[in-house]
Amino acid sequence: MTAIQDYQYGPLANDDNTRFIQLYPAAHFEDPIRVDIIERAYDASKTQDSVSYEALSYAWGSDEDSAYIFVGANSGLRVRYNVTQILRYLRDGITPGCSARTLWIDAMCINQADDEEKGKQVTVMGKIYACATSVLIWTGEPGCDLQALQRSFEGKGKEKMFRWIRRRPNDQIARLMQFFGTGWFTRRWVVQEIVHAREAYIISGSCTMQWQQFRAFVEHLESNISYEALMPHSAAILHHLSNLTAMIATESMHCEVSVRHLFQSTTKSQPMGYMTD
């Protein structure tokens, strides 16, 4: 039996390239995670050697827990626990008959031990997200929050959503605010990760929602709930979400100004330390 060795990153061939994960399906959720790591150009307009891929936007999580995933035939790569869970759920979403799902995940596709490479890759991350077929926004493992939002869109469109919002007890609205006030929604880096996305999807476990649906929900939530009725922290979260969801519709030429506006308005309205990197 061949011994498993630590995966060794090689240097990227040029600055227009990055690495991608080819994630393979498995019979059971807890089966070992198996991937290949390949190098390709991320911009299809500049090369014949590009790849179609999805880019992951997520909160890194704690580095206290980690696990190995298998790379190729006899290599292993240690990643954070939340990355293994993300890969398991995304692996479940592989289309039947498809051999692999191609992903860009910064923690795995960038050599985190190479500061020079990290510096170069960070400068093109906006382009990497923009060139992806879609951006997958991971908000965490399964919960009823995202499913509840999806149910608000069932039935007769906006009127159904209005009734859903009006009938929610305060404790359920507070729980939604708690969901929106943690993890992905509080990261500054999400701005560059989604503002130029061709398509974006919010994922909680195996539950998925299109970004445009989420944006519509936030707009109607803001229109039908009084800021004065919310706790200050919840009001700050809703204000931040309103800015964030509006930003993805902003034209690319105005992106830099919009980013500054989001950070400034957020800083004025949130308690200290609300936004994270």
Side-chain angles (χ1 to χ4, degrees), residues 86-134:
I86 292 169
L87 290 174
R88 284 193 166 93
Y89 281 104
L90 294 182
R91 183 173 64 180
D92 274 359
I94 294 177
T95 304
C98 183
S99 60
R101 189 170 189 172
T102 303
L103 304 165
W104 187 86
I105 305 176
D106 57 356
M108 299 172 64
C109 296
I110 300 175
N111 183 359
Q112 300 298 320
D114 186 335
D115 290 339
E116 182 179 358
E117 179 183 303
K118 283 198 296 184
K120 290 180 178 179
Q121 290 279 287
V122 165
T123 63
V124 298
M125 279 178 65
K127 295 179 181 178
I128 291 174
Y129 281 97
C131 290
T133 56
S134 61

Side-chain angles (χ1 to χ4, degrees), residues 165-218:
I165 292 171
R166 293 190 187 110
R167 292 174 182 175
R168 293 306 95 188
N170 288 338
D171 60 337
Q172 291 193 38
I173 296 296
R175 198 169 94 186
L176 281 177
M177 291 300 116
Q178 184 178 18
F179 173 59
F180 296 148
T182 58
W184 183 87
F185 295 102
T186 63
R187 295 178 57 239
R188 292 188 186 277
W189 283 104
V190 301
V191 175
Q192 77 157 351
E193 293 172 359
I194 67 168
V195 72
H196 294 306
R198 299 177 187 179
E199 290 189 82
Y201 298 90
I202 294 178
I203 301 175
S204 178
S206 56
C207 193
T208 302
M209 172 183 276
Q210 288 183 328
W211 176 265
Q212 293 302 329
Q213 281 188 313
F214 177 71
R215 179 186 172 197
F217 178 86
V218 172

